[in-house]
Amino acid sequence: MRKILGVALAAALCVAFQVNAPAQADDEESGPAAATQQASSSSADETEKDDPAKGEEPKDEVKDEPEAETPEDEPSKGEEPAEEVEEPSKGEEPKDEPKKGEEPKDEPSKDDPPKGEDPKDEPKKDDPPKKDPPPKGSPEVTPTAPTVTQSVCKGKGDPTPADIELPADTDEISYTLETADGQPASAPFAPGDYVVTATPNTSGSTPYVLVDPLPAGWTLAGNGVDALYEITLDVPKGCKDEVTPPAPEWIDDCGPGNGYWEFTDTDEYEYTVTENEDGSVTVTVSPKGDYQFPEGTVTEWTETDSEEECILEVPPAPVWTDNCEIIGSWDVPPDGEHYRFEVSAVFGGASTVTLIADEGYAFPEGTVTEWTETEDAADCALLPGDIESQCVSAVPYLSYAVELPPGFAEPGPNPVTITFVNPSGPDYVVSGQPLSGQLLWPGASATPPLQWPGWELLPDGTYVETDGNFAWTRQGITVRFDVNPTYSTTVEYPQESSTCANPQNREVPPDEDEPDNPNGPDNPTIPTGYTLPNTGAGSPVLGLLGAMFVLVGGSVLLLSRRRFSLR
């Protein structure tokens, strides 16, 4: 009986210890998973006491953690534990554990950047993919800095080798070395940038996490698990010949986009030109081979084209030519290297010449760059054809023909205005005439009663000479033809011997019964004031000759009669 009671007492104590263990773990800010893992580890240690190496606890393990006498998942026969840690259902994640690939929500890392942003201390190599963080409460491990040995110069062209020595890998953490572009690196090491990656062991029976904060020189990698340590191996000073490159010269002549750097490459250094998106131009210089620049040497320069306009020399102006022999036109100088002339016709007969400079070029301020002229035929005379007086059916007319000068646009079908210029009174003007035709002479009439200039018809049907009725047009008159241009000429009235110069002689029939009628056939009626045409009777020589012929004729007639009487 005592044995049974002893066994029951021992079982009760074991159950009480198991109930108390999770509560203590919660007080130490350890999650249910950690408590379960510790309980499982204790059970494993209990069952494997004979093999201490296999279940050896890590050095950083909490020393005060009590050991369980009986595994949690193996209670005494016939008894149930008073309280157990709640296990998640199949397919569910523990409530207090972070999901795979995520940081614990209640303890975010201070070095983690905001979501969607890169870490502030981004390493030069590409970030590795995200790793699953170790469970909460995992022991921390501190990365050790690598040992870096810089190259030094023992003499001209004799540097010592540089070296990077990584810490030894352990069960807790391992180290790798790469170049800045992510390639594995090993000795011999050339001058340049390198990256050491410290990776805690998260896959063993005891996962480790990096200490927070990290030691100086280390930064948290983008995967949130590893640490990075950047190293730069310098070029040893004094091992190479030092040379100082001259600064390039920026040449920026006037004109658009023609700025450039002027420099000369040598065996010691070379220049590189880069055109930037903002339009500026950058030049850098780098040493070659066994040469180096002194510390503090300027190796980069940047300039931008000023886009300053070039001022051109003013070319000769175009010349306008407009006369009656040549149609109005421009005599334009030849185009220059950076300018040109453009000729354009404008409505109304005007023509414009414009002087245009190329882009990036200009003429001095105040330069005339546009000229406009209008072709004007008004200064040119009409081209005359046949212009004369003419009789048509005993009626005097002005017959004429004129032509427009070359280049003068046809103004219409009847553009001519004809003016008989009166030297001492109002002119006789007729407008709306064609360029050629016939015009009734002033004072004349082509329909009955007929009229002639300088003659007046009396009521009795006879004509009397008068100073009126355009008598001034009979003595040779100036006739002007206007179309803008103009032409003037002198036109003579038809000769008096013409049938249309004056009124024809009117004969009144004689009375045959009155032989002494003064108006008989031997005395025709002559209009009062009418002057017979000049037939030459006014000459004295002709009169004497006529008298002689009359005397001779009379003598011959008397002799004939006498001979007839004697017979």
Side-chain angles (χ1 to χ4, degrees), residues 403-476:
E403 294 181 2
L404 296 172
F408 192 87
E410 177 66 47
N414 298 305
V416 181
T417 296
I418 300 176
T419 303
F420 289 77
V421 180
N422 187 348
S424 60
D427 297 337
Y428 178 75
V429 181
V430 181
S431 60
Q433 300 301 305
L435 290 172
S436 63
Q438 291 178 331
L439 179 68
L440 189 64
W441 198 275
S445 173
T447 59
L450 298 180
Q451 296 281 358
W452 287 265
W455 290 90
E456 179 182 358
L457 179 63
L458 298 177
D460 62 359
T462 60
Y463 291 87
V464 61
E465 192 171 10
T466 177
D467 292 335
N469 193 26
F470 302 97
W472 54 270
T473 65
R474 299 176 61 91
Q475 304 304 319

Side-chain angles (χ1 to χ4, degrees), residues 466-547:
T466 177
D467 292 335
N469 193 26
F470 302 97
W472 54 270
T473 65
R474 299 176 61 91
Q475 304 304 319
I477 193 66
T478 298
V479 180
R480 186 177 67 242
F481 300 86
D482 293 298
V483 189
N484 190 26
T486 297
Y487 176 75
S488 297
T489 187
T490 300
V491 181
E492 296 290 342
Y493 186 73
Q495 294 296 322
E496 292 185 354
S497 60
S498 170
T499 57
C500 69
N502 298 309
Q504 296 181 1
N505 296 337
R506 297 185 73 252
E507 295 183 356
V508 178
D511 187 355
E512 299 294 339
D513 296 334
E514 297 180 8
D516 295 332
N517 185 354
N519 294 325
D522 295 332
N523 297 291
T525 300
I526 299 175
T528 304
Y530 175 75
T531 303
L532 290 175
N534 188 356
T535 59
S539 174
V541 175
L542 294 178
L544 291 176
L545 291 175

